[in-house]
């Protein structure tokens, strides 16, 4: 295998032992901190369905977010290099995870719903935007690393200054 490699280091520290630790399934908190050097801690937990704190981030939510972020960053890169001026970008990403009867599970799909506002011009068409989304999807490191479909369903383009 050739090419550049990038390494990532994350410290995950469980903060939910309380007085009883894992004496029982209900005795402990799922709270933990995700720490990356030089950044504020990210308060993590499990999904509320698995006794997590709904006020903290779950790995499943962050997983869907990472797919959305990766796609957005590639899209913006491709827009910039193609000459399309994007003024706004937002995505309402959704993911589905199936849990099997024995407790193991997996994501079955993630769907991105990117909405952009771009300056008027020859590249500001739904067809051109769809082509950029297609290429961004093909380039996204995270989407290329998963074994389930990541669907991209862009919202029709809004052009800056047009009513």
């Amino acid at each position: 295998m050739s090419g550049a490699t990038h390494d990532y280091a994350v410290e995950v520290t469980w903060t939910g032992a309380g007085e009883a630790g894992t004496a029982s399934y209900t005795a402990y908190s799922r709270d933990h901190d995700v720490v990356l050097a030089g950044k504020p801690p990210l308060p993590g937990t499990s999904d509320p369905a698995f006794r997590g704190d709904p006020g903290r981030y779950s790995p499943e939510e962050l997983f869907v977010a990472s797919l959305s972020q990766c796609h957005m960053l590639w899209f913006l890169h491709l827009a910039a290099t193609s000459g399309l001026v994007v003024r706004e970008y937002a995505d309402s990403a959704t993911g589905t995870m199936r849990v099997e009867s024995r407790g193991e599970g997996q994501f079955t799909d993630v769907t991105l719903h990117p909405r952009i506002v771009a300056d008027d011009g020859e590249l500001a068409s739904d067809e051109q935007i769809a082509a950029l989304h297609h290429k961004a999807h093909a380039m996204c490191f995270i989407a290329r690393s998963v074994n389930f479909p990541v669907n991209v369903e862009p919202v029709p383009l809004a052009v800056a200054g047009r009513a």
Side-chain angles (χ1 to χ4, degrees):
M1 181 189 294
S2 65
T5 61
H6 300 267
D7 298 313
Y8 302 92
V10 176
E11 183 76 25
V12 176
T13 304
W14 178 42
T15 59
E19 296 294 319
T22 59
S24 74
Y25 181 74
T26 59
Y28 64 95
S29 165
R30 275 59 176 172
D31 291 357
H32 58 274
D33 288 333
V34 178
V35 180
L36 292 87
K39 299 177 184 172
L42 182 66
T45 192
S46 64
D47 185 282
F50 308 110
R51 305 189 54 80
D53 177 348
R56 290 175 160 251
Y57 300 98
S58 76
E60 296 84 3
E61 293 168 323
L62 295 173
F63 186 60
V64 173
S66 70
L67 284 159
S68 177
Q69 288 175 280
C70 185
H71 183 89
M72 177 194 69
L73 293 168
W74 269 108
F75 181 88
L76 296 174
H77 169 86
L78 295 168
T81 59
S82 73
L84 176 69
V85 178
V86 175
R87 299 293 177 173
E88 297 176 28
Y89 185 110
D91 183 10
S92 299
T94 58
T96 302
M97 185 180 73
R98 180 179 59 236
V99 179
E100 307 293 339
S101 60
R102 294 185 317 186
E104 73 274 8
Q106 62 279 327
F107 272 82
T108 58
D109 64 87
V110 167
T111 302
L112 309 179
H113 302 280
R115 298 176 310 282
I116 70 162
V117 175
D119 284 357
D120 204 359
E122 67 180 60
L123 295 175
S125 71
D126 286 328
E127 295 77 24
Q128 292 291 335
I129 300 304
L132 287 176
H133 279 299
H134 180 76
K135 189 167 183 182
H137 176 69
M139 299 298 291
C140 173
F141 307 136
I142 309 296
R144 292 173 51 89
S145 300
V146 300
N147 65 354
F148 57 83
V150 178
N151 306 300
V152 181
E153 298 176 359
V155 174
L157 169 69
V159 177
R162 262 195 226 163

